[in-house]
Amino acid sequence: MAFALFVSRNDIIKNTPLGGAIDADKLIPFIRTAQEKYMLNLLGTVLYDKLQTSIQSGSVTGDYQTLLEDYVKPTLIWYGCTEFIPFSSIDFKSGGAVKHLSEQSTAPTKVELDYLLNKALNNADYYATRMQDWLIATSNAGGIPEYLQVTGDQTEVYPDKSSQYFGGIHF
């Protein structure tokens, strides 16, 4: 089965602090990883496959278009950032890993990178919770039945309906 990404490189560049200098070839694997790692879990196999098929056939309309544009893309964009940030300054060459440093810049510390990673993850979790709330409301009204549909297949991933976002303080 062919694989359809739910977001493009341009979606990420326009909606995150990563900027336009990102090489698409470096970014796409992280988008795909985030899509498989997070979105499959949030949407469940039935709805995930429905979106894949609809995108490939160019037939995303109605509630599915709203889901994709207003909920899936913002969520996946930020999960893509969380996957990309730890690798953003590293290239893997035949001779090993290489870290890029400009003459007029300094590399961020691990603490600074962890802070950025946590901010990106918080953004992703916020959008994921909004998406889940919308999916539950829309599916209960009959708009996206695949979210509640199960086939009983042992390989199927059921949608994670637990809250993804916590904006409070942990003690």
Side-chain angles (χ1 to χ4, degrees):
M1 179 176 169
F3 191 86
L5 290 176
F6 296 160
V7 298
S8 69
R9 174 192 180 273
N10 288 341
D11 291 326
I12 291 180
I13 299 307
K14 291 178 182 178
N15 296 293
T16 70
L18 294 179
I22 302 296
D23 179 5
D25 291 337
K26 291 182 183 177
L27 191 57
I28 296 300
F30 296 100
I31 296 170
R32 181 174 177 153
T33 297
Q35 184 170 313
E36 292 175 331
K37 187 174 173 181
Y38 299 102
M39 298 312 294
L40 177 59
N41 188 48
L42 291 167
L43 299 172
T45 302
V46 177
L47 180 53
Y48 183 92
D49 289 347
K50 164 74 173 165
L51 287 176
Q52 284 274 313
T53 303
S54 296
I55 290 169
Q56 290 169 358
S57 67
S59 62
V60 182
T61 59
D63 285 337
Y64 299 98
Q65 182 72 29
T66 302
L67 171 62
L68 190 61
E69 293 297 325
D70 296 347
Y71 298 98
V72 170
K73 282 186 177 187
T75 305
L76 183 53
I77 283 168
W78 284 103
Y79 279 132
C81 282
T82 65
E83 293 298 317
F84 178 74
I85 288 170
F87 295 93
S88 61
S89 65
I90 306 291
D91 274 341
F92 296 94
K93 308 284 185 182
S94 59
V98 178
K99 185 174 183 178
H100 293 281
L101 293 176
S102 171
E103 293 177 15
Q104 300 176 4
S105 64
T106 58
T109 66
K110 179 169 179 354
V111 171
E112 291 169 325
L113 272 179
D114 286 346
Y115 174 77
L116 293 173
L117 188 61
N118 283 329
K119 291 299 282 183
L121 186 58
N122 282 341
N123 287 344
D125 290 344
Y126 166 77
Y127 286 112
T129 299
R130 285 186 60 224
M131 181 179 66
Q132 289 171 312
D133 291 345
W134 185 85
L135 275 167
I136 290 168
T138 304
S139 296
N140 286 338
I144 299 189
E146 293 85 359
Y147 187 62
L148 302 174
Q149 186 178 347
V150 294
T151 62
D153 185 340
Q154 293 295 326
T155 63
E156 185 173 287
V157 176
Y158 298 99
D160 180 358
K161 296 176 185 156
S162 64
S163 178
Q164 305 298 311
Y165 181 68
F166 177 76
I169 300 173
H170 293 279
F171 291 99

